[in-house]
Amino acid sequence: MNTFQDEPRSNRTSFKSGFVAIVGRPNVGKSTLMNHVIGQKIAIMSDKPQTTRNKIHGVYTTEDTQIVFLDTPGIHKRKSKLGDYMNQVAYNTLNEVEVILFLVDVSAGLGSGDKFVMEQLAKVKTPVILVMNKIDQVHPDELPPMIKSYHELFDFAEIVPISALHGNNVTRLLEVLGTYMPEGPKYYPDDQITDHPEQFVVAELIREKILHLTREEIPHSIAVAIEDMRVQDNGVVYISAVIYVERDSQKGIVIGKQGALLKEIGKLARQDIEHLLGSKTFIELWVKVKKDWRNQDRILRDLGFRHDA
């Protein structure tokens, strides 16, 4: 007997679920917003553009709603095959979701990058919510004219000002998103916050530390691959990771004098990884050169970059 069918209709509770894409030009706070909503770092953050390369899934669950956030690579004018991949991931995502969050940095003002993204959003039928991020960095009187400027260029379904870093008005944003979620299944268990394997998140956390500690020529040339990750008999998680660069000179920069920079990368990454895993970790880092890997299809596939991802 199906007990659910026997319940009075008035006693049935509906569950809503759906997918939300976070898009915008690079470095507007997309990863910061998702990490704040989820309550844990699953997407890396950096002040350097093109930090997010893959479509990151974050899961937000309440008693009656589950929202799956897709933090996409920043839409930008491509300069390599990796750039092509990143843009394609972002564009594909727009057709997979119930609503799109278009994140902008109000402290930087309306720029050509924002207009470029809006041109792409005009090609889809999915509702678009304008999320005006970093409101803590501007005077409140500056917001109304900014809102008017954006509204003149695009017919947004909603406009919500927030500060992703400090959490200002994020609760209101979640309430608005809930109204766009259809009735649906619970895709993930209550305690699951991402559908990416731990190895993926660990590699991203290592890459984040490299972005923080190296200069401009390095960030776009970096990829991280986990070669081994296992729990040892003493309960410590052993991690062996390879950092790929494009040139021999970059290898020396990442390693640093007498290995000092590589040690610092491992030290900082270990702190976040232990918080993620809830276990002590031992990390071995290696640096290898794969010349011009960002423009080689085979290497991009080996590193997990695929257009159908």
Side-chain angles (χ1 to χ4, degrees), residues 291-306:
K291 296 187 183 299
D292 197 32
W293 67 264
R294 287 179 292 171
N295 283 304
Q296 298 187 41
D297 290 328
R298 181 184 60 80
I299 294 177
L300 289 172
R301 286 195 300 270
D302 290 345
L303 290 172
F305 298 111
R306 292 167 31 198

Side-chain angles (χ1 to χ4, degrees), residues 8 22 308:
I22 309 175
D308 60 349

Side-chain angles (χ1 to χ4, degrees), residues 202-262:
V202 167
E204 286 289 272
L205 291 174
I206 294 170
R207 188 165 67 91
E208 178 186 55
K209 306 314 172 190
I210 302 169
L211 294 179
H212 283 316
L213 295 173
T214 56
R215 59 178 187 257
E216 287 303 318
E217 72 169 288
I218 295 296
H220 304 316
S221 305
I222 288 289
V224 178
I226 304 299
E227 291 205 330
D228 190 11
M229 182 171 167
R230 65 180 185 272
V231 181
Q232 301 178 126
D233 292 339
N234 60 2
V236 174
V237 179
Y238 169 78
I239 299 169
S240 175
V242 176
I243 301 167
Y244 290 106
V245 295
E246 290 186 316
R247 297 192 297 274
D248 291 327
S249 60
Q250 295 169 341
K251 179 177 179 179
I253 293 172
V254 173
I255 293 173
K257 187 176 182 179
Q258 297 182 331
L261 187 61
L262 193 62

